[in-house]
């Protein structure tokens, strides 16, 4: 039972354009959502997060949007840079157990010149 | 600041053999996690320690997997005996304390150990 889904296994975007990575979840009790970035042969690194009481959180070139009614969140990267090429994981947790992250399957982003 | 250290980086074993992975978290981090990431899937939490106590091991296959964190610092994860489906990357992560959001304590991951069971 995949509670966090990233239906696009890969995405290719031109440098300077916007990258939009999507994530859907099934458990309406999830309260916190995170995005992690992973380069080959490295562990995931935390990128940005959002609480369910918000619908948007911005950090530099990265913005996460949350649509609770649709159980959908997205990560926008503007402008995209070649160094953004990595696998991006969406993760979610419950209010009473924020340590336990449920990860999606990841989306591989490739930013080409 | 040194990151989370894991060893070995790679391990190939035959099914039914035993294997152990080692993790050294970031100094001062009280919370330590072991995740299993099977190819094509996201990481799945196996066990979480707070200092040297287990907080959550609900997804650890206890008939073959075991983990310990003696003295609340380093940790080892053992598989005995290994099965083909155990082939995965085993990630160790640590955080300053529990509660990603309440305390703004994000988890830092190591590079992982890639296990191949043949």
């Amino acid at each position: 039972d995949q509670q966090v889904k990233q239906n696009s296994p890969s995405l290719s975007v031109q440098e300077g354009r916007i990258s939009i990575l999507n994530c859907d979840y099934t458990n309406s009790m999830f309260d916190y959502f995170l995005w992690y970035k992973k380069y080959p042969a490295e562990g995931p690194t935390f990128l940005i997060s959002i609480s369910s009481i918000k619908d948007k959180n911005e950090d530099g070139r990265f913005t996460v949007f949350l649509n609770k009614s649709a159980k959908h969140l997205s990560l926008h990267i503007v402008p995209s840079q070649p160094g953004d090429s990595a696998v991006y994981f969406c993760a979610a947790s419950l209010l009473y157990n924020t340590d336990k992250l449920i990860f999606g399957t990841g989306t591989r982003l490739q930013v080409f010149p | 600041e040194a990151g989370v250290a894991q060893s070995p980086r790679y391990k190939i074993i035959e099914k039914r053999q035993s294997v152990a992975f080692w993790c050294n978290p970031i100094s001062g981090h009280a919370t330590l996690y072991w995740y299993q990431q099977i190819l094509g899937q996201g990481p799945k939490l196996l066990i979480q320690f707070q200092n040297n106590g287990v907080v959550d091991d609900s997804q650890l296959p206890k008939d073959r997997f075991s983990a310990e964190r003696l003295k609340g610092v380093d940790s080892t994860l053992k598989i005995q005996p290994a099965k083909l489906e155990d082939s995965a990357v085993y990630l160790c992560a640590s955080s300053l304390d529990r509660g990603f959001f309440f305390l703004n304590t994000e988890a830092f991951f190591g590079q992982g150990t890639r296990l191949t069971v043949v």
Side-chain angles (χ1 to χ4, degrees):
Chain A
D1 178 27
Q2 190 72 27
Q3 297 186 69
V4 179
K5 302 175 184 178
Q6 294 177 256
N7 293 318
S8 297
S10 64
L11 175 67
S12 188
V13 173
Q14 188 173 30
E15 181 179 6
R17 302 274 191 160
I18 183 171
S19 295
I20 300 176
L21 294 91
N22 294 305
C23 177
D24 297 294
Y25 60 96
T26 58
N27 190 340
S28 58
M29 300 296 289
F30 284 144
D31 285 291
Y32 297 99
F33 305 88
L34 305 89
W35 286 92
Y36 274 82
K37 179 166 81 170
K38 185 182 184 303
Y39 291 118
E42 294 185 13
T45 55
F46 170 73
L47 189 59
I48 192 169
S49 63
I50 188 167
S51 163
S52 61
I53 63 174
K54 295 185 176 182
D55 55 18
K56 177 183 174 181
N57 189 26
E58 192 172 351
D59 184 1
R61 296 185 298 113
F62 303 91
T63 303
V64 56
F65 295 91
L66 176 62
N67 182 334
K68 286 190 296 182
S69 61
K71 296 190 185 70
H72 176 84
L73 66 157
S74 60
L75 174 68
H76 292 212
I77 307 173
V78 183
S80 301
Q81 300 174 354
D84 296 329
S85 297
V87 176
Y88 289 79
F89 290 99
C90 169
S93 70
L94 300 166
L95 173 64
Y96 56 85
N97 194 0
T98 56
D99 300 334
K100 188 171 182 177
L101 296 178
I102 311 299
F103 282 87
T105 53
T107 296
R108 182 178 301 279
L109 172 66
Q110 183 179 5
V111 180
F112 60 92
Chain B
E1 177 182 82
V4 176
Q6 289 187 248
S7 67
R9 289 294 311 279
Y10 306 93
K11 190 74 177 179
I12 301 175
I13 63 171
E14 295 183 351
K15 59 183 179 183
R16 291 187 288 275
Q17 284 188 324
S18 302
V19 65
F21 312 126
W22 174 80
C23 173
N24 185 14
I26 293 173
S27 178
H29 279 196
T31 310
L32 185 145
Y33 311 82
W34 282 102
Y35 282 85
Q36 179 193 57
Q37 185 180 9
I38 294 173
L39 187 64
Q41 299 182 19
K44 183 184 82 172
L45 180 67
L46 291 176
I47 189 167
Q48 176 189 352
F49 291 94
Q50 181 70 7
N51 296 309
N52 61 351
V54 175
V55 174
D56 184 348
D57 63 357
S58 58
Q59 299 190 99
L60 187 74
K62 299 181 187 63
D63 58 334
R64 298 183 301 105
F65 285 64
S66 64
E68 60 182 10
R69 190 184 184 197
L70 299 176
K71 301 181 182 178
V73 182
D74 293 5
S75 177
T76 55
L77 176 69
K78 297 179 182 177
I79 308 175
Q80 181 181 3
K83 293 184 176 181
L84 295 176
E85 58 260 36
D86 298 331
S87 294
V89 175
Y90 290 84
L91 294 162
C92 178
S94 70
S95 62
L96 192 60
D97 206 330
R98 300 186 61 186
F100 285 101
F101 295 96
F102 300 134
L103 299 176
N104 195 31
T105 54
E106 66 190 77
F108 294 84
F109 284 82
Q111 293 177 300
T113 296
R114 181 177 296 278
L115 173 67
T116 302
V117 182
V118 296

